[in-house]
């Protein structure tokens, strides 16, 4: 079984902070408490009133800590208002000093002057630490980020302590002794308390500054930019990559690249993954394929002089146009899924040398869309990811019919027909939960609610319905699975990519060196074993909300007897199983018009937003003789996914080899032309570019 798709890589983390989603009222209350604490502190300092000053300062510190733990968004709002942590800390200590001056006699001002001077020194050191921290970060920000490549030659080292790299946390921790000492001085009128607290803060700050300054010594810095680029060129020359996966996108789009990692790894030659965003290096799922992140265009262009011949593209992005400028590489658009939605026939595809699709339906779709894609540039390769999907094995054998509801997201265009969650999700789930013989698996799209708040709210209501239904069900539960825990730990060990808590990119590059031989096979075995152990650990009557990295979508396919989804690539992929599926029609079209507009619905039961057809749908799943779409599904699968033989992975590999051959031919022609021009220049003959050239078409480039 392949490594699960739609999966974030396992990471080693410290204790997780609870995620709190707060509405405007809660955020306003949290911010108001901090403002109220500062106001009370100001009153206590100006009156002066010692108990109020002490209580307000303590309350201010407590509110600060609470905001850092549970309301980070509020801290961002304060920073945008020029009331960041430094300003707040200065204000807090300044009010304590004002209180001391107001409480003491006139002649005591000279006694408190050293405390004020010490406080100023603390803030000066804070600024110095921050400046040096920025310099250290710059020396550790390399022009190339890698995974699965031995980067030890770059003199990489563990990152400085995280506390020294986070100014807000650092100021709170290093400044706490000083603030505490000043509070004690206010309470006792003993300047020595404030002096002791300031001494501790100064010592902490000086130590932190020293730790960072050592990182700037020549022998402690990582390799410089030019040295890293020379190292990268040498790696390209030694590894000699032939085919690569190019990807650029946001953090939530990593699944689009992850689904092509295993097909890429199974290709012959020497594959490589090319990324553009630094954060994406850790978002990428487990793979043994070398990964290089090239954020700058100038670094990306070094690929032009490498042996890389083909890049496959699972998505379009603004940065894709940059790599398309490299004439020595052939480019193929493979997409991250195929559906009848207009986004599957984007005119951007004209920029690629070839467009690789699953089956004849996609070829026809491009022709009908009239977006400028010539038929000769469309290549049918199937869907390599689906080779491992289990085929239909008959009606539900147990007491429960497992239904997978996997709606797509709302999309960017606001079309109400994109996702069924808003208009039909609750009705569909209620209808399914009303059948005592149904076990529901709910797997929403990872981007659900990212654009439309209504989709996010509907998704939450669907989850509440499922949890409520589980509370009303009971039955035997399998014993706690030691096997599941064991395989989970093994997968964490094999696929961990983040390293220790607080590691930066340079440290992760050092930790994520060339993989041990056989790691990919070990991951595949562990993933398959985890899947079996996971499903075995669940009672067959329990509904599940599947949003974690595991189990993957295709694992849910294998467990489901029926899929309910929207017009999306999910239904195309599910057809590989041969099982029944249904599509929710929230487009406002009649069923007839809906089927005409979206050919992938041809073999589906069409459900209306009121979910009235759910009982009949379940009946046809449980009694195959009532299934009117069995033959149509087989025919549609052939149109959408292509023939089962040869396997899609084999067809994918053949397409890669053909495009590699085209790239080599193009390079040979260009080399021949350059040689002719060089000879002409040597002989002093003008116009060689327009004269003798090798035979054959010019090709793209």
């Amino acid at each position: 079984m392949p490594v699960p798709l739609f999966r974030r890589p396992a990471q080693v983390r410290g204790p997780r902070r609870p995620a709190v989603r707060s509405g405007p009222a809660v955020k306003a209350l949290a911010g108001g408490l901090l403002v109220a604490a500062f106001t009370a502190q100001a009153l206590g300092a100006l009156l002066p009133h010692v108990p109020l000053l002490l209580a307000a300062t303590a309350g201010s510190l407590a509110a600060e800590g609470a905001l850092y733990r549970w309301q980070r968004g509020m801290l961002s709002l304060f920073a945008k208002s020029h009331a960041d942590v430094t300003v707040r800390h200065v204000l807090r200590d300044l009010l304590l000093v004002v209180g001391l001056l107001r409480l003491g006699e006139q002649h005591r001002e000279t006694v408190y002057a050293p405390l004020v001077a010490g406080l100023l020194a603390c803030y000066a050191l804070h600024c110095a630490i921050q400046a040096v921290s920025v310099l250290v970060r710059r020396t550790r920000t390399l022009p190339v980020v890698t995974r699965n490549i031995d980067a030890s030659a770059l003199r990489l080292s563990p990152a400085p302590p995280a506390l020294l790299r986070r100014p807000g946390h650092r100021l709170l921790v290093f400044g706490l002794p000083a603030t505490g000492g000043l509070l004690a001085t206010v309470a006792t009128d003993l300047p020595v308390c404030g002096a002791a607290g300031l001494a501790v803060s100064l010592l902490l700050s000086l130590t932190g500054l020293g730790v960072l300054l050592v990182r700037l010594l020549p022998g402690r810095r990582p390799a410089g930019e030019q040295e890293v680029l020379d190292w990268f060129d040498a790696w390209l020359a030694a590894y000699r990559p032939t085919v690569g996966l190019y990807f650029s996108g946001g953090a939530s789009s990593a699944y689009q690249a992850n689904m092509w990692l295993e097909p890429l790894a199974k290709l012959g030659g020497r594959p490589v993954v090319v990324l553009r965003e630094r954060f994406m290096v850790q978002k990428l799922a487990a793979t043994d394929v070398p990964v290089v992140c090239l954020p700058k265009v100038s670094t990306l262009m070094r690929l032009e002089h490498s042996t890389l011949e083909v890049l496959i593209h699972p998505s379009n992005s603004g940065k894709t146009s940059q790599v398309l400028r490299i004439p020595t590489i052939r480019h193929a658009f493979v997409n991250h899924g195929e559906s009848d939605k207009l986004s599957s026939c984007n005119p951007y595809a004209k920029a690629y040398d070839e467009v690789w699709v699953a089956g004849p339906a996609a070829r026809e779709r491009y022709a009908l869309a009239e977006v400028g894609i010539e038929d000769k540039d469309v290549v049918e390769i199937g869907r390599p990811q689906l080779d491992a999907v289990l085929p239909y094995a008959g009606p539900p054998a147990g007491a429960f019919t497992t239904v997978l509801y996997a709606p797509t997201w709302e999309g960017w265009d606001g079309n109400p027909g994109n996702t069924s969650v808003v208009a039909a999700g609750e009705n569909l789930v209620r209808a399914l939960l009303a059948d005592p013989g149904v076990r529901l698996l709910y797997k929403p799209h990872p981007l659900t609610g990212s654009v439309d708040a209504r989709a996010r709210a509907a998704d939450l209501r669907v989850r509440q319905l499922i949890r409520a239904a589980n509370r009303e069900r009971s039955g035997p539960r399998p014993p706690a699975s030691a096997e599941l825990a064991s395989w989970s730990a093994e997968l964490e060990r094999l696929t961990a990519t983040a390293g220790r808590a607080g590691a930066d990119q340079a440290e992760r590059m050092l930790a994520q060196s060339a993989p041990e031989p056989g790691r990919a096979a070990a991951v595949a075995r562990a993933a398959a074993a985890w899947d079996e152990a996971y499903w075995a650990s669940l009672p067959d009557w329990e509904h599940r909300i599947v949003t974690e990295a595991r189990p993957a979508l295709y694992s849910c396919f294998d467990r489901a007897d029926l899929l309910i989804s929207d017009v999306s690539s999910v239904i195309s992929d599910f057809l590989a199983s041969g099982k029944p599926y249904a599509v929710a029609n929230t487009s406002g079209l009649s069923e007839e018009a809906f089927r005409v507009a979206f050919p992938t619905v041809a073999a589906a039961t069409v459900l209306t937003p009121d979910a009235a057809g759910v009982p009949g749908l379940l009946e046809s799943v449980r009694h195959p003789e009532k299934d009117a779409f069995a033959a149509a599904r087989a025919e549609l699968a052939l149109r959408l996914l292509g023939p089962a033989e040869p396997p899609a992975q084999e067809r994918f590999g053949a397409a890669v080899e053909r495009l590699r051959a085209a790239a080599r031919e193009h390079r040979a022609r260009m080399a021949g032309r350059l040689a002719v021009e060089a000879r002409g220049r040597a002989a002093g003959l003008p116009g060689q570019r327009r004269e003798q050239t090798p035979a054959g078409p010019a090709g793209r480039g």
Side-chain angles (χ1 to χ4, degrees):
M1 178 175 283
V3 177
L5 303 174
F6 296 96
R7 181 177 125 200
R8 294 182 295 274
Q11 296 183 351
V12 178
R13 299 182 178 91
R16 172 168 284 192
R17 290 175 175 168
V20 178
R21 286 188 177 183
S22 305
V26 175
K27 291 182 179 179
L29 177 62
L33 289 175
L34 186 59
V35 173
F38 274 116
T39 303
Q41 190 183 5
L43 288 173
L46 294 173
L47 287 176
H49 190 280
V50 174
L52 179 59
L53 180 58
L54 294 175
T57 304
S60 172
L61 288 170
E64 193 85 48
L67 286 176
Y68 263 93
R69 185 169 181 83
W70 293 299
Q71 293 291 335
R72 302 298 294 272
M74 201 66 207
L75 292 175
S76 176
L77 181 60
F78 276 123
K80 291 177 181 178
S81 304
H82 296 280
D84 61 12
V85 63
T86 305
V87 172
R88 296 195 301 273
H89 210 76
V90 169
L91 178 59
R92 189 179 295 114
D93 288 344
L94 178 62
L95 290 173
L96 285 176
V97 171
V98 170
L100 285 173
L101 295 176
R102 293 279 294 162
L103 287 167
E105 301 294 336
Q106 183 109 12
H107 68 278
R108 300 293 299 277
E109 291 183 4
T110 56
V111 176
Y112 295 135
L115 300 183
V116 175
L119 197 60
L120 292 175
C122 283
Y123 284 111
L125 281 174
H126 167 71
C127 295
I129 293 173
Q130 183 59 23
V132 176
S133 175
V134 170
L135 291 176
V136 171
R137 185 177 70 245
R138 288 179 179 176
T139 65
R140 297 179 62 83
T141 303
L142 307 184
V144 178
V145 184
T146 65
R147 256 177 66 183
N148 301 332
I149 298 174
D150 183 3
S152 57
L154 300 180
R155 302 191 303 277
L156 303 177
S157 61
L163 183 64
L164 297 180
R165 311 196 315 263
R166 298 172 181 169
H169 289 77
R170 184 181 67 240
L171 185 57
L172 284 174
V173 173
F174 286 7
L176 190 59
T179 303
L182 292 175
L183 273 173
T185 298
V186 170
T188 63
D189 199 24
L190 295 175
V192 67
C193 297
L198 285 165
V200 173
S201 290
L202 286 170
L203 180 61
L204 290 173
S205 298
L206 285 170
T207 302
L209 181 61
V211 169
L212 290 175
L213 284 172
V214 168
R215 298 298 186 117
L216 294 179
L217 295 175
R220 298 295 300 274
R221 278 187 263 179
E225 180 174 357
Q226 188 56 50
E227 188 177 350
V228 173
L229 294 176
D230 291 342
W231 169 85
F232 178 61
D233 288 341
W235 178 83
L236 285 174
Y239 181 66
R240 297 184 61 80
T242 54
V243 59
L245 172 75
Y246 178 91
F247 188 74
S248 171
S252 58
S253 64
Y255 72 92
Q256 299 172 357
N258 288 340
M259 68 171 61
W260 284 99
L261 290 179
E262 187 174 6
L264 177 72
K266 289 181 178 179
L267 292 173
R270 293 169 296 280
V272 65
V273 177
V274 180
L275 304 176
R276 302 302 307 283
E277 290 79 24
R278 296 176 184 271
F279 65 82
M280 192 61 71
V281 176
Q282 306 308 321
K283 293 291 183 181
L284 211 64
T287 180
D288 282 2
V289 175
V291 178
V292 297
C293 177
L294 310 175
K296 294 183 179 179
V297 179
S298 57
T299 309
L300 180 71
M301 290 302 149
R302 291 175 178 265
L303 297 178
E304 180 175 356
H305 305 292
S306 73
T307 56
L308 189 62
E309 296 165 339
V310 170
L311 279 177
I312 63 174
H313 300 257
S315 68
N316 298 312
S317 74
K319 294 181 180 178
T320 301
S321 62
Q322 297 168 350
V323 76
L324 292 176
R325 292 160 54 188
I326 299 179
T328 57
I329 299 175
R330 283 292 191 258
H331 302 271
F333 181 59
V334 295
N335 214 335
H336 53 274
E338 294 186 10
S339 73
D340 291 323
K341 289 186 290 190
L342 292 178
S343 58
S344 291
C345 294
N346 195 311
Y348 197 114
K350 289 185 292 186
Y352 303 97
D353 295 288
E354 292 183 354
V355 176
W356 295 354
V357 299
R363 180 188 295 276
E364 297 167 9
R365 191 181 302 126
Y366 272 108
L368 292 173
E370 297 184 3
V371 291
I373 307 300
E374 297 185 37
D375 187 70
K376 66 180 179 62
D377 294 329
V378 179
V379 179
E380 298 174 27
I381 64 167
R383 287 275 285 166
Q385 300 86 349
L386 303 179
D387 285 351
V389 172
L390 298 179
Y392 178 64
F400 293 92
T401 301
T402 300
V403 180
L404 172 62
Y405 177 38
T408 189
W409 68 303
E410 60 270 24
W412 300 110
D413 57 7
N415 190 325
N418 286 342
T419 178
S420 59
V421 169
V422 176
E426 292 173 83
N427 292 335
L428 289 170
V429 169
R430 282 196 181 94
L432 292 168
L433 297 178
D435 189 313
V438 164
R439 178 206 195 187
L440 177 61
L441 305 179
Y442 174 55
K443 188 170 180 62
H445 191 283
L447 295 179
T448 298
S450 60
V451 173
D452 192 337
R454 294 175 303 167
R456 181 167 60 251
D459 170 58
L460 292 175
R461 291 194 297 270
V462 166
R463 298 185 192 206
Q464 291 168 357
L465 287 173
I466 295 172
R467 294 189 185 103
N470 274 336
R471 288 193 294 269
E472 295 176 1
R473 281 192 167 187
S474 62
R477 302 188 71 92
S481 176
E483 186 180 8
L484 178 61
S486 173
W487 284 116
S488 296
E490 179 67 2
L491 274 175
E492 290 288 324
R493 184 187 70 81
L494 289 169
T495 64
T497 61
R500 68 176 181 89
D504 62 3
Q505 289 173 349
E507 180 178 342
R508 293 189 186 108
M509 279 181 64
L510 180 63
Q512 297 166 2
S513 188
E516 299 177 0
R519 187 183 69 171
V523 170
R525 287 193 300 270
W530 184 94
D531 263 11
E532 291 299 322
Y534 171 80
W535 294 111
S537 71
L538 302 176
D540 57 3
W541 50 264
E542 186 176 62
H543 309 297
R544 299 296 294 177
I545 301 170
V546 184
T547 56
E548 296 299 322
R550 296 185 292 263
L553 177 65
Y554 295 166
S555 177
C556 295
F557 280 6
D558 291 342
R559 300 289 166 171
D561 300 303
L562 165 69
L563 168 73
I564 298 178
S565 188
D566 305 321
V567 175
S568 72
S569 61
V570 172
I571 59 177
S572 301
D573 287 355
F574 191 76
L575 277 165
S577 71
K579 299 174 184 178
Y581 72 103
V583 180
N585 178 12
T586 57
S587 66
L589 300 172
S590 66
E591 178 175 335
E592 181 180 0
F594 187 61
R595 290 185 184 276
V596 171
F598 303 108
T600 52
V601 183
T605 298
V606 176
L607 297 175
T608 53
D610 61 6
V614 166
L617 171 64
L618 294 172
E619 182 72 9
S620 68
V621 173
R622 291 162 179 160
H623 302 281
E625 68 275 8
K626 300 181 180 181
D627 182 1
F629 295 104
R633 283 197 300 275
E635 180 182 347
L636 184 60
L638 185 63
R639 288 192 64 241
L640 291 177
L641 305 175
E645 294 294 335
Q649 180 66 40
E650 186 177 326
R651 293 155 63 196
F652 175 52
V656 168
E657 290 305 312
R658 285 194 300 270
L659 204 54
R660 284 184 60 192
R664 289 193 294 269
E665 292 171 4
H666 174 262
R667 292 187 184 200
R669 289 195 299 270
M670 294 302 103
R673 290 177 183 175
L674 290 174
V676 170
E677 290 184 1
R679 289 195 298 269
R681 286 194 298 269
L685 299 176
Q688 291 297 317
R689 186 178 299 275
R690 294 187 300 275
E691 295 177 9
Q692 182 179 357
T693 58
R700 294 186 181 183

